[in-house]
Amino acid sequence: MAHPLNNHCSDRSQTGDDNGLVIEVSSEPDTDAVLPARPATDRTPGVGAKKHFSCAFVHGPGAGSVMKTDSLTEKHVAFVLQARADVADLENQVLFTWGPEDGPKERHIFDFRATMMDRSRVAIMVKYDKKLSDEEFVAKSFRIASNVTADFADRVTLMTEKHLDPVAVHNATLLNAVRKSDPDADAIMRDMVSNLIGAAKIGDLIAYTGLGGRGFRSIARLIGAHELELRDRVRIDYDSHVMRRAM
């Protein structure tokens, strides 16, 4: 199994927490709040399990949708994939079956299936790196992958925590945390950067608009919307430089 989704990731292990990310939250009630959509999956991860990490989080535009994961690595993979410009859609817990038409079927639940911007689809297994030393697991994974046909996915990949760049995890976690729009601040910041030539420091853009923390979150949303991009492979902060994304 190749790793086509990992071409831009360095071979570095993630940290064991959410990278020290702190997001300001408002104490004011949101009178326009609506419930996010329920997860559309073929299997529901057991959120609240006592013996391993599990979680549920909201993602996507507007009220968003709920996604549940069985591990911290799955959560980080979801964030990173959703932040990528070449990923159009991400499905969670997708059932794949194979076998003879008139006989019993074998089943496997892929952790994710990504639809890329070129409309190709990638079925994704997520495991901890130590599983790759388990010969039985490796053999089973290859057997599953060898049975995947084009009507389900164009290719199969396996991702572990070592395929995740901690910088990408940090930034993707931030982008998900600030996903709710702030129309007034976003309009001001979008207008501010519309004629940006070259790169500018995030802190300078915020200072110029006087938006404070709202400005920082707005810039993060513009990065998440791929209207802006980081000049360097760094964590998004006040000292980072951004520029308009080449179209």
Side-chain angles (χ1 to χ4, degrees):
M1 290 175 290
H3 300 281
L5 284 173
N6 300 328
N7 293 337
H8 303 291
C9 294
S10 60
D11 187 13
R12 298 169 61 189
S13 300
Q14 68 190 39
T15 57
D17 55 21
D18 279 337
N19 302 287
L21 184 67
V22 178
I23 303 297
E24 295 179 17
V25 296
S26 172
S27 60
E28 297 297 323
D30 186 350
T31 57
D32 297 321
V34 294
L35 291 175
R38 292 176 179 271
T41 63
D42 293 315
R43 169 185 170 273
T44 301
V47 173
K50 295 181 179 180
K51 294 185 178 180
H52 66 85
F53 178 96
S54 61
C55 78
F57 60 89
V58 178
H59 67 99
S65 302
V66 175
M67 182 177 287
K68 298 179 179 180
T69 65
D70 275 324
S71 72
L72 183 61
T73 300
E74 281 185 38
K75 175 187 175 184
H76 287 170
V77 167
F79 282 170
V80 168
L81 293 180
Q82 288 168 341
R84 287 178 53 153
D86 59 347
V87 174
D89 184 54
L90 186 67
E91 300 168 84
N92 177 226
Q93 300 296 314
V94 185
L95 174 64
F96 170 62
T97 62
W98 74 97
E101 292 186 6
D102 57 351
K105 303 292 185 183
E106 294 191 66
R107 296 163 50 96
H108 177 76
I109 299 287
F110 280 93
D111 297 296
F112 300 105
R113 182 169 61 180
T115 300
M116 312 304 288
M117 293 300 291
D118 64 4
R119 309 315 298 171
S120 65
R121 294 186 296 179
V122 185
I124 305 165
M125 302 177 183
V126 179
K127 296 294 180 183
Y128 290 116
D129 184 69
K130 64 182 181 181
K131 287 289 289 184
L132 300 186
S133 61
D134 183 335
E135 293 183 2
E136 183 178 346
F137 165 77
V138 172
K140 179 180 178 181
S141 298
F142 273 100
R143 184 170 63 84
I144 294 168
S146 66
N147 281 282
V148 170
T149 52
D151 60 330
F152 181 81
D154 298 283
R155 55 192 187 272
V156 175
T157 191
L158 187 149
M159 298 183 69
T160 76
E161 72 277 10
K162 290 192 175 181
H163 294 120
L164 293 173
D165 180 348
V167 171
V169 172
H170 172 89
N171 289 345
T173 303
L174 170 63
L175 298 183
N176 188 74
V178 301
R179 46 179 285 278
K180 184 177 179 181
S181 66
D182 180 346
D184 292 338
D186 292 351
I188 292 170
M189 192 59 71
R190 181 172 285 109
D191 182 65
M192 173 70 188
V193 302
S194 62
N195 296 313
L196 184 63
I197 298 175
K201 185 185 293 187
I202 289 177
D204 291 343
L205 295 173
I206 295 169
Y208 190 87
T209 60
L211 289 170
R214 293 174 67 199
F216 179 79
R217 293 189 289 275
S218 181
I219 288 176
R221 280 190 290 274
L222 291 178
I223 294 172
H226 310 298
E227 296 178 44
L228 291 176
E229 62 183 5
L230 291 163
R231 184 189 65 184
D232 310 303
R233 192 190 69 81
V234 295
R235 295 186 178 201
I236 300 170
D237 63 26
Y238 279 69
D239 292 323
S240 307
H241 286 75
V242 292
M243 52 190 181
R244 293 178 64 195
R245 184 169 180 261
M247 303 304 289

